[in-house]
Amino acid sequence: MAKYVSFSSRRRRPAWIIARKVTTYLFLSLGVVVAVFPFFWMISTSLMSLGEAQGTRLWPSEIHLENYVNAWKEANFSLYLWNSVRITFLTLAGELTFSILAAYAFARIKFPGRDFIFTVMLSTMMIPAMVTIIPNFLTVTWLGRIGPLKWINNWPALTIPFMGSVFSIFLLRQFFAQIPDELYDAAQIDGAGHLRFLWQVVLPLSKAPIMVIVILSFIGTWNALAWPMLVTNSPDWRPIAVGLVSFIDEAGQMLNLMMAGAVIAILPILALYFFAQKQFTESIARSGLKG
Amino acid sequence: MSTKLFKAVSLLVVVFSLVLAACGPAATPTAEPPAPTEEPTTAPQPTEEPTAAPTEEPMAPEIDPTGQTVNFWHVWGTGLPNETMLAIVDDFNAANEWGITVNAVDQGNYSNLEDAFNAAVQSGDLPDLVTGYTNAMANWYAVDAVVDLNPYINDSYFGLTAEEQAAYFEGAINGGKAPDGTFFAFPISQSENVLFYNSGWAKELGFENPPANYEEFKAQACAAAEANNADDNPDNDGTGGLVLYAGASNVASFVFANGGNMQNADSSGYDFTAQSVVDAASFMKDLWDAGCAYPTESYPNPEFATRKALFTMSSTAGLPYQIAAFDAADAIKDEWTIAPFPGKDGGQSVNLFGQYVAIANTSPERMMATWVFIKYLTSPEVQVKWIEGSAYYPTRSDAVPLLASYSESNPIWAYGLSFLQYGKAEPAWPSWTSVRRTVGDIFNAILQGDPADIPTLLADLNDKAAEAIIETQQ
């Protein structure tokens, strides 16, 4: 009887809670659709004939897998993919090196004018990228003229200007500043200097923000188009995004091939995201960053 | 490492990072590239300009192009046009007697190429030969980045004979010339802005031929719009007539068909208040207000292939895209063709879009080598190869007979060949780059506004165009 009473007394969830959950899931489902639809459209279009791709169909009447082979051949993807890998690797390596060291200095070393310099640096984030593109181009051109290294049509123009990222320095500095001073004191007692403390204590604790930087920088570098088009005039160092542009001409777009190329181009980004998903979401949760 | 030393190193890193950060855009840059501001050195003159075309070949050239490398920036990076251009370049490299090597590099689309060339003007790392729109080339000529071609065309050794010069279509040649006769852009092929016309559907609607004047045009467009409104398919309501994109090239096409050219009498400036422009604007507005014209967000190929438009306006370079749209599963397999733009009272014209090249201002030897390649590229036999691979039109009449078999297998293209004779080109003036944007803005304002405002808006366009001329002359 007691058992029976116990079951019968179990309260039903109030209707408003169920309604709230349903509403929440409806909104979330809508969000999923909004997020997934462009990918669905891209993949679907990549399998269409050109005629169908120009229209409004959502799914091809006939699957054209050969679009992937054609896109790869037509857009010189073999070379451009390799170039993108090289450019991204160099940019990431440089950005991480300089950002980590600069952020550490801003967070944990006291030196005259530190906060002022940091503020000035942050203020550069307010300058629209459009405004900096001409001075940047003139700078890399000038550096190519005066130095031994060729900048235009070469890796320096494609990578070095992006190695100093204010956003990365800012993000890391915020994380580094939260690390308790006691850890540094303990490390100092054990004979560690700043470099060892950074390497052996700070960096292992900062995997999440570093992964955020890796992913955001990877995406930015991988998808870059306007700057590489500006500083390269031969295929030698052109990245994969340039290959995608070649499917647009004065009279139209080969949308099916362009989308097949886009699928190929985003595969490395997706792979990286799945690999680093845990750290990425963790970091966003910790830092309160929003996309 | 001591703390002091580490602090010093850290400070250095911070300073270096600041320098790099100042160089680094906050996000992936998408801005337009810098416009050329520095003037390169004055173009060296290859030879003295002869007064007449050469008649006899002299013993030796005044400028020796032997062994030069020609960097050719073009826009044909994919498909058959790319294969064809590379094959032509390979043939030239293998066979030319001067040991000239052409290195063809795809620079993306016209906009990308323009950006790249503007950047090259800044860096000084110019290619030798560049493709582009003539108004962009006019800008490059104004900053001495490209050179006048007259000395090369008339060169006593490498120039074109009088017969060869006469073989070029006048419209194509004029498209690359400034009013003062400066020849800064050479046409290697051309395309036309034409009407795409669904003749099969038109016949069902009771029209046997493409429209010959505005009255017929409106009758056909409105009949198609009415047919779509009257059928039991609600999805096609509001469609059926002309897909109207009031961009400068389409506006120019209508004006050309009225016998105008948007220029004043002495070609020293624009005249958008001429009757030919007023008539074109009034007609477009009339079609729009009558519900016989409507806009689309993208290229209107699917609309044309599914009876949502009896007419669209497009370059003949878009023929492959339109053919593909008719191959789609949901297309209506109508008979269709292309037609010239009709004038108000029966004139007709097409707007010629040339594929022009310009010689960059480098060294006399390199420039002469570049001209030798241009001459090869535009020779009748090579032009035929290029046309067959690109579906463009030839720029010289002596290439036309050689295209007989291509014409047979491409009837729509062949029909367009007959329009070349009355084609006109848009002004090849530096100011046209900005004026064409204003033309689009004003004509869109005309479509959205009151018909009574047309004269005022066109007068405003005239003023803005005059300002643009002054700006580009400064």
PDB file of all heavy atoms in Angstrom, chain A residues 51 54 74 117 130 136 145 161 164 194 226 229-230 233 238 245 249-250, chain B residues 6 23-24 29 31 33 73 79 106-107 112 122 301-302 321 324 392:
ATOM      1  N   GLY A  51      23.435  23.337 -64.318  1.00  0.00           N
ATOM      2  CA  GLY A  51      22.087  23.876 -64.529  1.00  0.00           C
ATOM      3  C   GLY A  51      21.256  23.827 -63.259  1.00  0.00           C
ATOM      4  O   GLY A  51      20.583  24.793 -62.907  1.00  0.00           O
ATOM      5  N   GLN A  54      22.316  26.311 -60.526  1.00  0.00           N
ATOM      6  CA  GLN A  54      21.904  27.704 -60.724  1.00  0.00           C
ATOM      7  C   GLN A  54      20.473  27.944 -60.255  1.00  0.00           C
ATOM      8  O   GLN A  54      20.070  29.070 -60.032  1.00  0.00           O
ATOM      9  CB  GLN A  54      21.994  28.076 -62.209  1.00  0.00           C
ATOM     10  CG  GLN A  54      23.402  28.114 -62.748  1.00  0.00           C
ATOM     11  CD  GLN A  54      23.418  28.469 -64.228  1.00  0.00           C
ATOM     12  OE1 GLN A  54      23.497  29.618 -64.606  1.00  0.00           O
ATOM     13  NE2 GLN A  54      23.334  27.471 -65.077  1.00  0.00           N
ATOM     14  N   GLU A  74      40.511  21.511 -61.788  1.00  0.00           N
ATOM     15  CA  GLU A  74      40.360  22.838 -62.410  1.00  0.00           C
ATOM     16  C   GLU A  74      40.981  23.945 -61.575  1.00  0.00           C
ATOM     17  O   GLU A  74      41.476  24.932 -62.104  1.00  0.00           O
ATOM     18  CB  GLU A  74      38.880  23.153 -62.605  1.00  0.00           C
ATOM     19  CG  GLU A  74      38.183  22.221 -63.566  1.00  0.00           C
ATOM     20  CD  GLU A  74      37.790  22.913 -64.843  1.00  0.00           C
ATOM     21  OE1 GLU A  74      37.583  24.120 -64.808  1.00  0.00           O
ATOM     22  OE2 GLU A  74      37.738  22.227 -65.871  1.00  0.00           O
ATOM     23  N   ILE A 117      51.025  50.541 -22.575  1.00  0.00           N
ATOM     24  CA  ILE A 117      51.298  49.851 -23.845  1.00  0.00           C
ATOM     25  C   ILE A 117      50.169  48.866 -24.164  1.00  0.00           C
ATOM     26  O   ILE A 117      49.712  48.765 -25.311  1.00  0.00           O
ATOM     27  CB  ILE A 117      52.655  49.094 -23.785  1.00  0.00           C
ATOM     28  CG1 ILE A 117      53.801  50.090 -23.636  1.00  0.00           C
ATOM     29  CG2 ILE A 117      52.867  48.231 -25.030  1.00  0.00           C
ATOM     30  CD1 ILE A 117      55.147  49.437 -23.342  1.00  0.00           C
ATOM     31  N   MET A 130      39.835  47.326 -43.001  1.00  0.00           N
ATOM     32  CA  MET A 130      39.876  48.011 -44.303  1.00  0.00           C
ATOM     33  C   MET A 130      40.907  49.140 -44.303  1.00  0.00           C
ATOM     34  O   MET A 130      41.540  49.408 -45.303  1.00  0.00           O
ATOM     35  CB  MET A 130      38.509  48.644 -44.617  1.00  0.00           C
ATOM     36  CG  MET A 130      37.340  47.735 -44.425  1.00  0.00           C
ATOM     37  SD  MET A 130      37.284  46.516 -45.698  1.00  0.00           S
ATOM     38  CE  MET A 130      35.810  45.609 -45.249  1.00  0.00           C
ATOM     39  N   ASN A 136      49.485  48.269 -44.722  1.00  0.00           N
ATOM     40  CA  ASN A 136      50.131  46.953 -44.617  1.00  0.00           C
ATOM     41  C   ASN A 136      50.804  46.557 -45.921  1.00  0.00           C
ATOM     42  O   ASN A 136      51.924  46.055 -45.934  1.00  0.00           O
ATOM     43  CB  ASN A 136      49.094  45.879 -44.259  1.00  0.00           C
ATOM     44  CG  ASN A 136      48.729  45.932 -42.809  1.00  0.00           C
ATOM     45  OD1 ASN A 136      49.452  46.515 -41.997  1.00  0.00           O
ATOM     46  ND2 ASN A 136      47.595  45.364 -42.463  1.00  0.00           N
ATOM     47  N   ARG A 145      61.686  45.585 -50.498  1.00  0.00           N
ATOM     48  CA  ARG A 145      62.673  46.379 -51.250  1.00  0.00           C
ATOM     49  C   ARG A 145      63.972  46.542 -50.476  1.00  0.00           C
ATOM     50  O   ARG A 145      65.052  46.490 -51.046  1.00  0.00           O
ATOM     51  CB  ARG A 145      62.106  47.767 -51.550  1.00  0.00           C
ATOM     52  CG  ARG A 145      61.169  47.790 -52.739  1.00  0.00           C
ATOM     53  CD  ARG A 145      60.978  49.211 -53.237  1.00  0.00           C
ATOM     54  NE  ARG A 145      59.775  49.285 -54.074  1.00  0.00           N
ATOM     55  CZ  ARG A 145      58.779  50.109 -53.867  1.00  0.00           C
ATOM     56  NH1 ARG A 145      58.825  50.965 -52.868  1.00  0.00           N
ATOM     57  NH2 ARG A 145      57.744  50.110 -54.647  1.00  0.00           N
ATOM     58  N   PRO A 161      52.688  39.422 -41.174  1.00  0.00           N
ATOM     59  CA  PRO A 161      51.753  40.433 -40.662  1.00  0.00           C
ATOM     60  C   PRO A 161      50.682  39.859 -39.729  1.00  0.00           C
ATOM     61  O   PRO A 161      50.071  40.602 -38.973  1.00  0.00           O
ATOM     62  CB  PRO A 161      51.104  40.993 -41.926  1.00  0.00           C
ATOM     63  CG  PRO A 161      52.083  40.731 -43.000  1.00  0.00           C
ATOM     64  CD  PRO A 161      52.735  39.449 -42.641  1.00  0.00           C
ATOM     65  N   GLY A 164      51.391  38.825 -35.200  1.00  0.00           N
ATOM     66  CA  GLY A 164      51.130  39.636 -34.013  1.00  0.00           C
ATOM     67  C   GLY A 164      49.644  39.907 -33.913  1.00  0.00           C
ATOM     68  O   GLY A 164      49.139  40.840 -34.524  1.00  0.00           O
ATOM     69  N   HIS A 194      61.197  32.861 -15.175  1.00  0.00           N
ATOM     70  CA  HIS A 194      59.945  33.102 -15.898  1.00  0.00           C
ATOM     71  C   HIS A 194      59.726  32.095 -17.022  1.00  0.00           C
ATOM     72  O   HIS A 194      58.618  31.604 -17.202  1.00  0.00           O
ATOM     73  CB  HIS A 194      59.961  34.521 -16.474  1.00  0.00           C
ATOM     74  CG  HIS A 194      59.613  35.569 -15.468  1.00  0.00           C
ATOM     75  ND1 HIS A 194      58.377  35.646 -14.866  1.00  0.00           N
ATOM     76  CD2 HIS A 194      60.344  36.580 -14.946  1.00  0.00           C
ATOM     77  CE1 HIS A 194      58.350  36.676 -14.028  1.00  0.00           C
ATOM     78  NE2 HIS A 194      59.549  37.259 -14.054  1.00  0.00           N
ATOM     79  N   ALA A 226      41.429  38.017 -49.655  1.00  0.00           N
ATOM     80  CA  ALA A 226      41.775  39.326 -50.221  1.00  0.00           C
ATOM     81  C   ALA A 226      43.272  39.622 -50.062  1.00  0.00           C
ATOM     82  O   ALA A 226      43.923  40.061 -51.020  1.00  0.00           O
ATOM     83  CB  ALA A 226      40.955  40.414 -49.562  1.00  0.00           C
ATOM     84  N   MET A 229      45.424  37.442 -52.338  1.00  0.00           N
ATOM     85  CA  MET A 229      45.294  37.874 -53.726  1.00  0.00           C
ATOM     86  C   MET A 229      46.126  39.121 -53.986  1.00  0.00           C
ATOM     87  O   MET A 229      46.624  39.332 -55.082  1.00  0.00           O
ATOM     88  CB  MET A 229      43.839  38.194 -54.058  1.00  0.00           C
ATOM     89  CG  MET A 229      42.924  36.992 -54.174  1.00  0.00           C
ATOM     90  SD  MET A 229      43.301  35.850 -55.510  1.00  0.00           S
ATOM     91  CE  MET A 229      42.890  36.775 -56.951  1.00  0.00           C
ATOM     92  N   LEU A 230      46.238  39.946 -52.953  1.00  0.00           N
ATOM     93  CA  LEU A 230      46.940  41.212 -53.108  1.00  0.00           C
ATOM     94  C   LEU A 230      48.455  41.030 -53.129  1.00  0.00           C
ATOM     95  O   LEU A 230      49.153  41.707 -53.876  1.00  0.00           O
ATOM     96  CB  LEU A 230      46.547  42.118 -51.930  1.00  0.00           C
ATOM     97  CG  LEU A 230      46.758  43.609 -52.081  1.00  0.00           C
ATOM     98  CD1 LEU A 230      45.963  44.135 -53.249  1.00  0.00           C
ATOM     99  CD2 LEU A 230      46.327  44.315 -50.797  1.00  0.00           C
ATOM    100  N   ASN A 233      51.098  37.129 -56.965  1.00  0.00           N
ATOM    101  CA  ASN A 233      50.658  37.209 -58.359  1.00  0.00           C
ATOM    102  C   ASN A 233      51.118  36.004 -59.160  1.00  0.00           C
ATOM    103  O   ASN A 233      51.182  36.043 -60.383  1.00  0.00           O
ATOM    104  CB  ASN A 233      51.093  38.524 -59.004  1.00  0.00           C
ATOM    105  CG  ASN A 233      52.552  38.808 -58.787  1.00  0.00           C
ATOM    106  OD1 ASN A 233      53.374  37.903 -58.933  1.00  0.00           O
ATOM    107  ND2 ASN A 233      52.880  40.041 -58.415  1.00  0.00           N
ATOM    108  N   ARG A 238      49.959  30.748 -53.412  1.00  0.00           N
ATOM    109  CA  ARG A 238      48.540  31.083 -53.270  1.00  0.00           C
ATOM    110  C   ARG A 238      47.780  30.012 -52.487  1.00  0.00           C
ATOM    111  O   ARG A 238      47.959  28.824 -52.728  1.00  0.00           O
ATOM    112  CB  ARG A 238      47.885  31.258 -54.643  1.00  0.00           C
ATOM    113  CG  ARG A 238      48.239  32.584 -55.231  1.00  0.00           C
ATOM    114  CD  ARG A 238      47.491  32.842 -56.494  1.00  0.00           C
ATOM    115  NE  ARG A 238      47.588  34.250 -56.829  1.00  0.00           N
ATOM    116  CZ  ARG A 238      47.233  34.746 -57.979  1.00  0.00           C
ATOM    117  NH1 ARG A 238      46.749  33.968 -58.920  1.00  0.00           N
ATOM    118  NH2 ARG A 238      47.337  36.036 -58.200  1.00  0.00           N
ATOM    119  N   VAL A 245      37.893  30.988 -55.946  1.00  0.00           N
ATOM    120  CA  VAL A 245      37.498  32.191 -56.692  1.00  0.00           C
ATOM    121  C   VAL A 245      37.568  31.959 -58.202  1.00  0.00           C
ATOM    122  O   VAL A 245      36.853  32.597 -58.966  1.00  0.00           O
ATOM    123  CB  VAL A 245      38.400  33.378 -56.300  1.00  0.00           C
ATOM    124  CG1 VAL A 245      38.093  34.598 -57.138  1.00  0.00           C
ATOM    125  CG2 VAL A 245      38.197  33.712 -54.840  1.00  0.00           C
ATOM    126  N   ASP A 249      33.479  33.798 -63.084  1.00  0.00           N
ATOM    127  CA  ASP A 249      33.992  34.618 -64.176  1.00  0.00           C
ATOM    128  C   ASP A 249      33.023  35.761 -64.455  1.00  0.00           C
ATOM    129  O   ASP A 249      32.094  35.983 -63.679  1.00  0.00           O
ATOM    130  CB  ASP A 249      34.284  33.778 -65.434  1.00  0.00           C
ATOM    131  CG  ASP A 249      33.032  33.152 -66.021  1.00  0.00           C
ATOM    132  OD1 ASP A 249      31.953  33.731 -65.857  1.00  0.00           O
ATOM    133  OD2 ASP A 249      33.140  32.084 -66.661  1.00  0.00           O
ATOM    134  N   GLU A 250      33.266  36.474 -65.559  1.00  0.00           N
ATOM    135  CA  GLU A 250      32.483  37.695 -65.782  1.00  0.00           C
ATOM    136  C   GLU A 250      31.023  37.426 -66.086  1.00  0.00           C
ATOM    137  O   GLU A 250      30.197  38.324 -66.022  1.00  0.00           O
ATOM    138  CB  GLU A 250      33.117  38.538 -66.897  1.00  0.00           C
ATOM    139  CG  GLU A 250      32.779  38.106 -68.320  1.00  0.00           C
ATOM    140  CD  GLU A 250      33.903  37.353 -68.994  1.00  0.00           C
ATOM    141  OE1 GLU A 250      34.513  36.480 -68.331  1.00  0.00           O
ATOM    142  OE2 GLU A 250      34.157  37.609 -70.182  1.00  0.00           O
TER     143      GLU A 250
ATOM    144  N   PHE B   6      65.470  38.058 -18.553  1.00  0.00           N
ATOM    145  CA  PHE B   6      64.184  37.612 -19.101  1.00  0.00           C
ATOM    146  C   PHE B   6      63.226  38.787 -19.293  1.00  0.00           C
ATOM    147  O   PHE B   6      62.492  38.869 -20.286  1.00  0.00           O
ATOM    148  CB  PHE B   6      63.551  36.578 -18.169  1.00  0.00           C
ATOM    149  CG  PHE B   6      62.276  35.995 -18.763  1.00  0.00           C
ATOM    150  CD1 PHE B   6      62.342  35.079 -19.808  1.00  0.00           C
ATOM    151  CD2 PHE B   6      61.036  36.399 -18.313  1.00  0.00           C
ATOM    152  CE1 PHE B   6      61.183  34.571 -20.363  1.00  0.00           C
ATOM    153  CE2 PHE B   6      59.888  35.893 -18.867  1.00  0.00           C
ATOM    154  CZ  PHE B   6      59.964  34.973 -19.893  1.00  0.00           C
ATOM    155  N   CYS B  23      50.975  45.777 -37.927  1.00  0.00           N
ATOM    156  CA  CYS B  23      50.927  45.320 -39.319  1.00  0.00           C
ATOM    157  C   CYS B  23      49.718  44.449 -39.571  1.00  0.00           C
ATOM    158  O   CYS B  23      49.236  44.326 -40.682  1.00  0.00           O
ATOM    159  CB  CYS B  23      52.163  44.478 -39.668  1.00  0.00           C
ATOM    160  SG  CYS B  23      53.646  45.415 -39.743  1.00  0.00           S
ATOM    161  N   GLY B  24      49.248  43.755 -38.561  1.00  0.00           N
ATOM    162  CA  GLY B  24      48.245  42.729 -38.767  1.00  0.00           C
ATOM    163  C   GLY B  24      46.833  43.256 -38.712  1.00  0.00           C
ATOM    164  O   GLY B  24      46.441  43.874 -37.743  1.00  0.00           O
ATOM    165  N   PRO B  29      41.397  40.471 -44.194  1.00  0.00           N
ATOM    166  CA  PRO B  29      41.050  41.686 -44.919  1.00  0.00           C
ATOM    167  C   PRO B  29      40.174  41.399 -46.118  1.00  0.00           C
ATOM    168  O   PRO B  29      40.357  40.419 -46.812  1.00  0.00           O
ATOM    169  CB  PRO B  29      42.414  42.226 -45.370  1.00  0.00           C
ATOM    170  CG  PRO B  29      43.323  41.067 -45.330  1.00  0.00           C
ATOM    171  CD  PRO B  29      42.793  40.110 -44.314  1.00  0.00           C
ATOM    172  N   ALA B  31      39.028  44.365 -47.831  1.00  0.00           N
ATOM    173  CA  ALA B  31      38.893  45.669 -48.464  1.00  0.00           C
ATOM    174  C   ALA B  31      39.438  45.671 -49.874  1.00  0.00           C
ATOM    175  O   ALA B  31      40.163  44.775 -50.274  1.00  0.00           O
ATOM    176  CB  ALA B  31      39.654  46.704 -47.664  1.00  0.00           C
ATOM    177  N   PRO B  33      41.870  46.833 -52.726  1.00  0.00           N
ATOM    178  CA  PRO B  33      43.289  47.096 -52.661  1.00  0.00           C
ATOM    179  C   PRO B  33      43.576  48.567 -52.933  1.00  0.00           C
ATOM    180  O   PRO B  33      42.686  49.308 -53.341  1.00  0.00           O
ATOM    181  CB  PRO B  33      43.838  46.244 -53.792  1.00  0.00           C
ATOM    182  CG  PRO B  33      42.728  46.231 -54.759  1.00  0.00           C
ATOM    183  CD  PRO B  33      41.476  46.263 -53.978  1.00  0.00           C
ATOM    184  N   TRP B  73      49.341  38.262 -67.307  1.00  0.00           N
ATOM    185  CA  TRP B  73      48.293  38.065 -66.294  1.00  0.00           C
ATOM    186  C   TRP B  73      46.946  38.042 -66.988  1.00  0.00           C
ATOM    187  O   TRP B  73      46.573  39.000 -67.676  1.00  0.00           O
ATOM    188  CB  TRP B  73      48.315  39.206 -65.278  1.00  0.00           C
ATOM    189  CG  TRP B  73      49.480  39.144 -64.343  1.00  0.00           C
ATOM    190  CD1 TRP B  73      50.519  38.267 -64.366  1.00  0.00           C
ATOM    191  CD2 TRP B  73      49.723  40.019 -63.238  1.00  0.00           C
ATOM    192  NE1 TRP B  73      51.384  38.519 -63.346  1.00  0.00           N
ATOM    193  CE2 TRP B  73      50.922  39.596 -62.642  1.00  0.00           C
ATOM    194  CE3 TRP B  73      49.046  41.106 -62.698  1.00  0.00           C
ATOM    195  CZ2 TRP B  73      51.455  40.233 -61.524  1.00  0.00           C
ATOM    196  CZ3 TRP B  73      49.568  41.743 -61.596  1.00  0.00           C
ATOM    197  CH2 TRP B  73      50.767  41.303 -61.004  1.00  0.00           C
ATOM    198  N   GLY B  79      38.671  25.545 -66.922  1.00  0.00           N
ATOM    199  CA  GLY B  79      37.942  25.008 -68.065  1.00  0.00           C
ATOM    200  C   GLY B  79      38.670  25.122 -69.389  1.00  0.00           C
ATOM    201  O   GLY B  79      39.893  25.273 -69.449  1.00  0.00           O
ATOM    202  N   ASP B 106      47.185  32.899 -64.232  1.00  0.00           N
ATOM    203  CA  ASP B 106      45.783  33.234 -63.939  1.00  0.00           C
ATOM    204  C   ASP B 106      45.730  34.109 -62.682  1.00  0.00           C
ATOM    205  O   ASP B 106      46.360  33.804 -61.679  1.00  0.00           O
ATOM    206  CB  ASP B 106      45.006  31.930 -63.722  1.00  0.00           C
ATOM    207  CG  ASP B 106      43.661  32.161 -63.063  1.00  0.00           C
ATOM    208  OD1 ASP B 106      42.985  33.115 -63.462  1.00  0.00           O
ATOM    209  OD2 ASP B 106      43.299  31.383 -62.157  1.00  0.00           O
ATOM    210  N   GLN B 107      44.952  35.200 -62.767  1.00  0.00           N
ATOM    211  CA  GLN B 107      44.841  36.095 -61.616  1.00  0.00           C
ATOM    212  C   GLN B 107      43.410  36.151 -61.069  1.00  0.00           C
ATOM    213  O   GLN B 107      43.000  37.153 -60.496  1.00  0.00           O
ATOM    214  CB  GLN B 107      45.295  37.513 -61.992  1.00  0.00           C
ATOM    215  CG  GLN B 107      46.750  37.629 -62.354  1.00  0.00           C
ATOM    216  CD  GLN B 107      47.666  37.431 -61.154  1.00  0.00           C
ATOM    217  OE1 GLN B 107      47.227  37.449 -60.013  1.00  0.00           O
ATOM    218  NE2 GLN B 107      48.950  37.225 -61.407  1.00  0.00           N
ATOM    219  N   ASN B 112      39.725  40.633 -59.251  1.00  0.00           N
ATOM    220  CA  ASN B 112      40.963  40.183 -58.605  1.00  0.00           C
ATOM    221  C   ASN B 112      42.181  40.662 -59.381  1.00  0.00           C
ATOM    222  O   ASN B 112      43.172  41.119 -58.793  1.00  0.00           O
ATOM    223  CB  ASN B 112      41.024  38.649 -58.528  1.00  0.00           C
ATOM    224  CG  ASN B 112      39.856  38.042 -57.792  1.00  0.00           C
ATOM    225  OD1 ASN B 112      39.344  37.016 -58.192  1.00  0.00           O
ATOM    226  ND2 ASN B 112      39.412  38.698 -56.723  1.00  0.00           N
ATOM    227  N   GLN B 122      51.975  49.616 -57.202  1.00  0.00           N
ATOM    228  CA  GLN B 122      52.579  50.099 -55.950  1.00  0.00           C
ATOM    229  C   GLN B 122      53.940  49.462 -55.698  1.00  0.00           C
ATOM    230  O   GLN B 122      54.884  50.125 -55.297  1.00  0.00           O
ATOM    231  CB  GLN B 122      51.661  49.769 -54.765  1.00  0.00           C
ATOM    232  CG  GLN B 122      50.346  50.506 -54.760  1.00  0.00           C
ATOM    233  CD  GLN B 122      50.525  51.979 -54.456  1.00  0.00           C
ATOM    234  OE1 GLN B 122      51.555  52.388 -53.932  1.00  0.00           O
ATOM    235  NE2 GLN B 122      49.534  52.781 -54.786  1.00  0.00           N
ATOM    236  N   ASN B 301      19.548  33.018 -65.190  1.00  0.00           N
ATOM    237  CA  ASN B 301      19.500  31.853 -66.083  1.00  0.00           C
ATOM    238  C   ASN B 301      18.361  30.888 -65.742  1.00  0.00           C
ATOM    239  O   ASN B 301      17.659  30.426 -66.648  1.00  0.00           O
ATOM    240  CB  ASN B 301      20.851  31.120 -66.078  1.00  0.00           C
ATOM    241  CG  ASN B 301      21.993  32.030 -66.487  1.00  0.00           C
ATOM    242  OD1 ASN B 301      21.840  32.858 -67.363  1.00  0.00           O
ATOM    243  ND2 ASN B 301      23.123  31.918 -65.822  1.00  0.00           N
ATOM    244  N   PRO B 302      18.161  30.539 -64.465  1.00  0.00           N
ATOM    245  CA  PRO B 302      17.063  29.611 -64.174  1.00  0.00           C
ATOM    246  C   PRO B 302      15.700  30.206 -64.508  1.00  0.00           C
ATOM    247  O   PRO B 302      14.813  29.489 -64.991  1.00  0.00           O
ATOM    248  CB  PRO B 302      17.161  29.373 -62.667  1.00  0.00           C
ATOM    249  CG  PRO B 302      18.435  29.948 -62.225  1.00  0.00           C
ATOM    250  CD  PRO B 302      18.892  30.913 -63.255  1.00  0.00           C
ATOM    251  N   TYR B 321      26.399  29.101 -69.416  1.00  0.00           N
ATOM    252  CA  TYR B 321      25.581  29.006 -68.198  1.00  0.00           C
ATOM    253  C   TYR B 321      24.103  28.862 -68.548  1.00  0.00           C
ATOM    254  O   TYR B 321      23.370  28.136 -67.899  1.00  0.00           O
ATOM    255  CB  TYR B 321      25.800  30.244 -67.327  1.00  0.00           C
ATOM    256  CG  TYR B 321      27.195  30.342 -66.760  1.00  0.00           C
ATOM    257  CD1 TYR B 321      28.172  31.113 -67.370  1.00  0.00           C
ATOM    258  CD2 TYR B 321      27.550  29.630 -65.623  1.00  0.00           C
ATOM    259  CE1 TYR B 321      29.450  31.183 -66.879  1.00  0.00           C
ATOM    260  CE2 TYR B 321      28.832  29.692 -65.111  1.00  0.00           C
ATOM    261  CZ  TYR B 321      29.786  30.475 -65.739  1.00  0.00           C
ATOM    262  OH  TYR B 321      31.065  30.540 -65.236  1.00  0.00           O
ATOM    263  N   ALA B 324      23.430  25.413 -69.810  1.00  0.00           N
ATOM    264  CA  ALA B 324      23.389  24.490 -68.663  1.00  0.00           C
ATOM    265  C   ALA B 324      22.061  24.602 -67.923  1.00  0.00           C
ATOM    266  O   ALA B 324      21.511  23.595 -67.463  1.00  0.00           O
ATOM    267  CB  ALA B 324      24.552  24.795 -67.718  1.00  0.00           C
ATOM    268  N   TYR B 392      34.090  33.215 -77.245  1.00  0.00           N
ATOM    269  CA  TYR B 392      34.011  34.658 -77.485  1.00  0.00           C
ATOM    270  C   TYR B 392      33.864  34.890 -78.992  1.00  0.00           C
ATOM    271  O   TYR B 392      33.824  33.938 -79.774  1.00  0.00           O
ATOM    272  CB  TYR B 392      35.289  35.354 -76.984  1.00  0.00           C
ATOM    273  CG  TYR B 392      35.430  35.398 -75.481  1.00  0.00           C
ATOM    274  CD1 TYR B 392      36.619  34.998 -74.873  1.00  0.00           C
ATOM    275  CD2 TYR B 392      34.412  35.873 -74.670  1.00  0.00           C
ATOM    276  CE1 TYR B 392      36.779  35.053 -73.485  1.00  0.00           C
ATOM    277  CE2 TYR B 392      34.555  35.932 -73.293  1.00  0.00           C
ATOM    278  CZ  TYR B 392      35.744  35.526 -72.703  1.00  0.00           C
ATOM    279  OH  TYR B 392      35.891  35.582 -71.352  1.00  0.00           O
TER     280      TYR B 392
END
